[in-house]
Amino acid sequence: MSKRLVALGDSFTEGVGDDDPGRPNGVRGWADRVAEVLATREPDFRYANLAIRGRLLGQVLSEQLEPALAMDPDLVTLYAGGNDLMRPKVDIDALADEYDKAVARLTETGATVVLFTGVDGVEDPLFRRMRGRTAIYNEHVRVIAARHGARIVDLWAMRQLRDRRLWSTDRLHLNALGHAEVAIAVLDVLQVPHELTPAALGPRPVLPVRQQRAENLRWAREHALPWIGRRLRGESSGDTVGPKRPALAPVES
């Protein structure tokens, strides 16, 4: 059983979208949920989360890899590259080369390493345009995982993540229900027994076209335009944010 979990990445791993004012950075997320389950099974369990929202793959690796290795973890989760895929231009092959070298260093320590594919955004007008990029990225991740013996959580195959009810209002980040789904998938990949259960949402409601348009316009005004503005100004949502758990520590019950 794992005793030292270190989570690396961007907003997905930090837990953005799963608001919890009582926690560091004001978010919970799937990694916290996984750590909570692991802590019940190992009295000496310790957990660090170095992920910071808005980080590109190169930033994740340059800022988080060495601190993670210094903690001598026996379990590491790593997801990065989603923010790169959203940029106008991206060299996915170059990203994969960086990713491969980082995963090699992590697995060489003997730690169990968990990687993630990207989500299939086929039902969202914005992310449908990125579908080809994401598919190429995912194939690289699968090859890297196979090459180095890493575990993989296939978010692309999780059809439930196409349901917008699992996403926050910004449509970029999972909400509490979505993060719970990912936590279940991670624990299942690790073959760790748990009592987490998926949300029973029932059939998705069919919205009138007029309501869909109104919601899309509101989303563009409240979320898409500010995001584009930050990109144009060279700003990131994580510029003033640090890792919420920068050192290994026990998990509070």
Side-chain angles (χ1 to χ4, degrees):
M1 182 57 62
S2 298
K3 292 187 177 182
R4 298 178 302 281
L5 164 63
V6 179
L8 313 179
D10 54 26
S11 59
F12 169 71
T13 300
E14 184 188 348
V16 175
D18 183 6
D19 296 337
D20 188 336
R23 292 176 182 257
N25 292 9
V27 294
R28 187 183 183 191
W30 64 265
D32 284 16
R33 287 172 163 80
V34 168
E36 289 158 12
V37 172
L38 295 177
T40 65
R41 306 180 64 82
E42 174 52 62
D44 296 327
F45 180 78
R46 299 292 185 270
Y47 163 52
N49 190 321
L50 307 183
I52 299 177
R53 65 196 70 181
R55 290 302 195 256
L56 301 171
L57 184 145
Q59 294 172 318
V60 169
L61 300 183
S62 65
E63 297 172 5
Q64 301 173 27
L65 182 59
E66 295 302 332
L69 290 168
M71 295 179 195
D72 190 27
D74 52 21
L75 175 60
V76 178
T77 68
L78 172 61
Y79 174 77
N83 290 315
D84 298 81
L85 296 178
M86 295 177 67
R87 295 298 174 103
K89 294 182 179 180
V90 58
D91 185 339
I92 301 175
D93 294 332
L95 292 180
D97 287 342
E98 290 186 67
Y99 213 51
D100 182 78
K101 294 173 185 175
V103 174
R105 292 192 64 194
L106 290 168
T107 55
E108 285 168 0
T109 68
T112 297
V113 177
V114 179
L115 307 178
F116 301 79
T117 64
V119 175
D120 185 0
V122 64
E123 296 187 22
D124 185 276
L126 172 64
F127 291 103
R128 185 163 53 240
R129 297 180 181 180
M130 292 172 46
R131 202 178 186 214
R133 286 183 173 188
T134 305
I136 295 170
Y137 167 87
N138 288 350
E139 286 307 302
H140 278 297
V141 172
R142 293 187 179 102
V143 169
I144 291 168
R147 179 182 297 133
H148 300 293
R151 312 281 180 93
I152 190 163
V153 176
D154 194 354
L155 302 179
W156 181 276
M158 293 173 64
R159 290 295 189 259
Q160 65 270 40
L161 296 183
R162 294 181 177 184
D163 192 327
R164 191 167 288 170
R165 290 175 292 178
L166 298 181
W167 294 81
S168 66
T169 54
D170 68 7
R171 303 185 185 180
L172 297 174
H173 302 102
L174 296 166
N175 61 21
L177 297 177
H179 278 281
E181 293 283 347
V182 175
I184 291 169
V186 172
L187 291 166
D188 288 348
V189 162
L190 294 172
Q191 298 182 323
V192 174
H194 61 86
E195 297 181 358
L196 302 185
T197 56
L201 297 176
R204 281 186 277 179
V206 179
L207 301 179
V209 173
R210 179 176 296 180
Q211 184 176 346
Q212 292 181 37
R213 289 175 178 169
E215 291 188 359
N216 288 339
L217 287 173
R218 182 168 58 251
W219 169 78
R221 182 175 63 253
E222 297 178 359
H223 299 287
L225 290 177
W227 182 85
I228 292 171
R230 288 197 300 272
R231 296 287 78 77
L232 293 175
R233 294 190 298 272
E235 299 174 355
S236 168
S237 57
D239 284 347
T240 59
V241 178
K244 66 180 184 179
R245 295 180 64 95
L248 287 169
V251 176
E252 301 80 7
S253 58

